[in-house]
Amino acid sequence: MDVTILGSGGCMVIPKPLCDCRICSEARKKGVPYERTGPSAFIHDENILIDTPAEISIQLNRAHIMQVDNLMFTHLDPDHIEGFRVVEQIALDFRTWQAFPGKQIRLILPVPLMDQLRNVQSAYGSLLDYYVAQKFITCVSFKDSIVIGDIRVTAIPVDRGEMLSFIYVFEKAGRKMVYAPCDIRPFPENHEKVARPDLFVVQPGLFEKKLRHGFIYPTDHISRTTLYTFEETLALAERIQADQILFVHLEEYWNRSHSDYAALQNQFENVRFAWDGMQLSV
Ligand SMILES: [Zn+2]
Ligand SMILES: [Zn+2]
């Protein structure tokens, strides 16, 4: 599988607007790979777009992507679906205000996520219903797993109550990528499908040192309920026997630059930190 990390940032882009910290100032000066936009990836084999942050149109243009056939969401937090309207940007034929033939996108989601997405609204009602009515998208819901061309996708729910989130396992020709960028705790590590991935795409979790203002996360901080620490994430990757680890969803508040991550990954044999536009072969 050929994959492009369209956006390597998290819920805060880098540079964060108006922020003059070291990380943001350097990113403003140097651009990519120091600059990071919201979390999104693209699988070229079947033209699968995963998640649409606010910057998705810019990301697709920047990566020279000329066709999107399938769209998936890991969950419905704003940093992953703010750019959902990209389906309209892509498909709209101004002559009919409907979709150009061949530009219609298949939205492929686990059943509960599709149900929840219907509740995401503009002032005029459900976005999903509007995009379907205009034929910008068609909806395909699935349970557990689905085949998209030559790729089998397995959806594994993360048990987070109302805050529904999915980890996706993409398999093709004996190769496997586990994609888990955000809201992954508690990680379903006993699910057979997450075992021994060739590539584990995951967020690094919480860094406890070298944060701005000398901040130290209190033991009862809210982030500790949603995030693993960096060390816990590494241990998790080892337990599922991931061959390669790619860290994404890199937050501005981790106070680390592209150079800092480059130095950190040198301490490991199988760890890399993503950047915007990074291309990988799985
Ligand atoms: Zn900053
Ligand atoms: Zn996120």
Side-chain angles (χ1 to χ4, degrees):
M1 284 174 281
D2 292 315
V3 180
T4 297
I5 303 299
L6 297 176
S8 60
C11 59
M12 301 295 158
V13 294
I14 303 175
K16 178 174 162 149
L18 281 59
C19 181
D20 66 353
C21 79
R22 174 179 71 92
I23 304 306
C24 293
S25 302
E26 185 177 27
R28 222 167 264 128
K29 214 178 299 160
K30 296 182 177 172
V32 171
Y34 289 80
E35 179 185 294
R36 300 184 189 278
T37 51
S40 175
F42 190 77
I43 302 177
H44 294 266
D45 305 56
E46 305 296 339
N47 296 323
I48 305 171
L49 175 60
I50 314 167
D51 290 335
T52 60
E55 304 81 26
I56 187 63
S57 295
I58 294 161
Q59 293 175 337
L60 289 168
N61 284 323
R62 189 175 58 181
H64 307 291
I65 286 163
M66 299 305 289
Q67 182 74 30
V68 175
D69 293 320
N70 304 292
L71 170 61
M72 303 188 77
F73 293 127
T74 52
H75 61 309
L76 305 186
D77 279 6
D79 54 325
H80 296 255
I81 65 157
E82 265 179 312
F84 185 22
R85 200 174 78 86
V86 74
V87 300
E88 185 169 21
Q89 304 261 21
I90 289 171
L92 178 80
D93 179 348
F94 74 96
R95 297 166 300 180
T96 60
W97 217 260
Q98 297 218 330
F100 273 114
K103 289 285 180 76
Q104 197 178 51
I105 295 167
R106 289 203 310 164
L107 177 67
I108 303 179
L109 290 181
V111 175
L113 217 48
M114 190 73 85
D115 289 345
Q116 235 183 36
L117 183 57
R118 235 170 232 114
N119 300 329
V120 177
Q121 305 216 340
S122 76
Y124 310 106
S126 163
L127 287 177
L128 181 72
D129 292 345
Y130 176 69
Y131 297 151
V132 169
Q134 299 306 110
K135 301 188 171 64
F136 302 147
I137 56 173
T138 56
C139 296
V140 179
S141 322
F142 69 100
K143 209 176 155 279
D144 303 331
S145 93
I146 188 167
V147 173
I148 306 174
D150 291 330
I151 297 179
R152 173 165 289 282
V153 187
T154 304
I156 306 172
V158 180
D159 184 9
R160 293 172 45 79
E162 291 286 284
M163 313 279 285
L164 204 55
S165 170
F166 282 85
I167 286 159
Y168 291 126
V169 181
F170 296 92
E171 293 172 286
K172 180 182 176 181
R175 306 288 288 174
K176 184 198 284 196
M177 171 173 74
V178 172
Y179 190 76
C182 186
D183 285 358
I184 60 165
R185 183 172 181 158
F187 192 87
E189 61 181 284
N190 294 322
H191 194 290
E192 53 172 17
K193 279 288 181 184
V194 302
R196 292 177 295 283
D198 297 288
L199 181 66
F200 183 31
V201 182
V202 64
Q203 60 166 277
L206 196 147
F207 288 100
E208 299 190 272
K209 293 185 185 141
K210 297 185 184 167
L211 300 178
R212 211 150 13 110
H213 317 297
F215 183 71
I216 309 240
Y217 276 96
T219 45
D220 60 348
H221 193 277
I222 174 105
S223 286
R224 290 192 187 275
T225 64
T226 58
L227 300 177
Y228 294 112
T229 64
F230 180 57
E231 289 73 21
E232 286 169 342
T233 310
L234 287 171
L236 167 67
E238 201 173 307
R239 284 199 301 280
I240 66 167
Q241 298 177 50
D243 187 50
Q244 299 291 318
I245 306 162
L246 180 70
F247 287 118
V248 295
H249 210 283
L250 305 173
E251 297 290 359
E252 185 264 351
Y253 48 80
W254 298 139
N255 198 33
R256 283 155 167 82
S257 72
H258 171 69
S259 309
D260 296 330
Y261 289 125
L264 179 56
Q265 73 183 22
N266 278 342
Q267 299 173 19
F268 306 92
E269 271 184 4
N270 62 343
V271 168
R272 278 177 295 173
F273 287 85
W275 63 82
D276 282 27
M278 182 186 207
Q279 297 183 340
L280 308 127
S281 217
V282 183

Short mmCIF file of all heavy atoms in Angstrom, two decimals, residues 9-11 39 51 74-75 77-80 181-183 203 249 251, ligand 2:
data_model
loop_
_atom_site.label_atom_id
_atom_site.label_comp_id
_atom_site.label_asym_id
_atom_site.label_seq_id
_atom_site.Cartn_x
_atom_site.Cartn_y
_atom_site.Cartn_z
N GLY A 9 -0.35 17.07 11.95
CA GLY A 9 -0.66 17.80 13.17
C GLY A 9 -1.84 17.17 13.92
O GLY A 9 -2.44 16.20 13.45
N GLY A 10 -2.14 17.74 15.08
CA GLY A 10 -3.24 17.24 15.88
C GLY A 10 -4.40 18.21 15.90
O GLY A 10 -4.73 18.81 14.87
N CYS A 11 -4.97 18.43 17.07
CA CYS A 11 -6.12 19.34 17.11
C CYS A 11 -5.69 20.80 17.07
O CYS A 11 -6.51 21.68 16.87
CB CYS A 11 -7.03 19.03 18.30
SG CYS A 11 -6.23 19.14 19.88
N PRO A 39 -4.97 16.28 11.16
CA PRO A 39 -4.74 14.85 10.93
C PRO A 39 -5.51 14.28 9.74
O PRO A 39 -6.74 14.30 9.71
CB PRO A 39 -5.23 14.20 12.24
CG PRO A 39 -6.20 15.18 12.81
CD PRO A 39 -5.72 16.54 12.40
N ASP A 51 -10.16 10.92 7.06
CA ASP A 51 -10.37 12.14 7.84
C ASP A 51 -10.15 13.42 7.02
O ASP A 51 -9.34 13.46 6.09
CB ASP A 51 -9.49 12.17 9.10
CG ASP A 51 -9.94 11.13 10.14
OD1 ASP A 51 -11.12 10.76 10.12
OD2 ASP A 51 -9.10 10.70 10.97
N THR A 74 -12.25 8.37 11.20
CA THR A 74 -11.93 7.56 12.38
C THR A 74 -12.92 7.85 13.51
O THR A 74 -13.27 6.97 14.28
CB THR A 74 -10.50 7.87 12.88
OG1 THR A 74 -10.37 9.28 13.05
CG2 THR A 74 -9.46 7.37 11.90
N HIS A 75 -13.33 9.11 13.61
CA HIS A 75 -14.33 9.52 14.59
C HIS A 75 -14.79 10.92 14.21
O HIS A 75 -14.32 11.46 13.21
CB HIS A 75 -13.78 9.45 16.02
CG HIS A 75 -12.61 10.34 16.28
ND1 HIS A 75 -11.49 10.36 15.50
CD2 HIS A 75 -12.39 11.26 17.25
CE1 HIS A 75 -10.63 11.25 15.98
NE2 HIS A 75 -11.15 11.81 17.04
N ASP A 77 -14.76 13.91 15.93
CA ASP A 77 -14.25 15.12 16.57
C ASP A 77 -13.95 16.17 15.49
O ASP A 77 -13.55 15.83 14.38
CB ASP A 77 -12.97 14.81 17.35
CG ASP A 77 -13.26 14.20 18.72
OD1 ASP A 77 -14.44 13.92 18.99
OD2 ASP A 77 -12.32 13.99 19.49
N PRO A 78 -14.13 17.45 15.84
CA PRO A 78 -13.98 18.51 14.83
C PRO A 78 -12.64 18.48 14.10
O PRO A 78 -12.59 18.76 12.89
CB PRO A 78 -14.12 19.79 15.66
CG PRO A 78 -14.96 19.40 16.82
CD PRO A 78 -14.59 17.97 17.13
N ASP A 79 -11.55 18.14 14.79
CA ASP A 79 -10.26 18.18 14.08
C ASP A 79 -10.18 17.12 12.97
O ASP A 79 -9.30 17.19 12.12
CB ASP A 79 -9.07 18.04 15.07
CG ASP A 79 -9.14 16.83 15.96
OD1 ASP A 79 -10.26 16.45 16.37
OD2 ASP A 79 -8.09 16.26 16.28
N HIS A 80 -11.13 16.17 12.95
CA HIS A 80 -11.12 15.13 11.92
C HIS A 80 -12.22 15.31 10.87
O HIS A 80 -12.15 14.70 9.80
CB HIS A 80 -11.23 13.75 12.56
CG HIS A 80 -10.05 13.43 13.42
ND1 HIS A 80 -9.06 12.55 13.04
CD2 HIS A 80 -9.67 13.94 14.62
CE1 HIS A 80 -8.14 12.51 13.99
NE2 HIS A 80 -8.47 13.35 14.95
N PRO A 181 -4.96 7.25 14.87
CA PRO A 181 -4.34 8.57 15.11
C PRO A 181 -4.81 9.30 16.35
O PRO A 181 -4.11 10.16 16.86
CB PRO A 181 -4.73 9.35 13.85
CG PRO A 181 -6.05 8.76 13.45
CD PRO A 181 -5.96 7.30 13.80
N CYS A 182 -6.01 8.98 16.86
CA CYS A 182 -6.61 9.86 17.87
C CYS A 182 -7.66 9.11 18.67
O CYS A 182 -8.31 8.22 18.14
CB CYS A 182 -7.25 11.05 17.15
SG CYS A 182 -7.89 12.33 18.22
N ASP A 183 -7.82 9.47 19.91
CA ASP A 183 -8.85 8.85 20.76
C ASP A 183 -8.75 7.33 20.74
O ASP A 183 -9.69 6.63 20.37
CB ASP A 183 -10.26 9.30 20.33
CG ASP A 183 -10.55 10.72 20.77
OD1 ASP A 183 -9.68 11.33 21.43
OD2 ASP A 183 -11.64 11.22 20.46
N GLN A 203 -0.81 8.08 17.52
CA GLN A 203 -0.38 9.32 18.15
C GLN A 203 0.63 8.99 19.27
O GLN A 203 0.56 7.91 19.85
CB GLN A 203 -1.57 10.07 18.73
CG GLN A 203 -2.33 9.32 19.78
CD GLN A 203 -3.28 10.25 20.54
OE1 GLN A 203 -2.87 10.93 21.47
NE2 GLN A 203 -4.52 10.28 20.11
N HIS A 249 -0.46 13.06 14.44
CA HIS A 249 -1.29 13.84 15.37
C HIS A 249 -0.38 14.54 16.40
O HIS A 249 -0.61 14.50 17.61
CB HIS A 249 -2.29 12.89 16.08
CG HIS A 249 -3.60 13.53 16.47
ND1 HIS A 249 -3.74 14.35 17.55
CD2 HIS A 249 -4.84 13.45 15.92
CE1 HIS A 249 -5.00 14.74 17.66
NE2 HIS A 249 -5.69 14.21 16.68
N GLU A 251 0.97 17.40 18.40
CA GLU A 251 0.33 18.61 18.90
C GLU A 251 1.33 19.76 19.09
O GLU A 251 2.48 19.55 19.48
CB GLU A 251 -0.34 18.33 20.25
CG GLU A 251 -1.46 17.31 20.20
CD GLU A 251 -2.69 17.84 19.47
OE1 GLU A 251 -2.70 19.00 19.03
OE2 GLU A 251 -3.65 17.05 19.34
ZN ZN B 2 -7.80 14.23 16.82
#
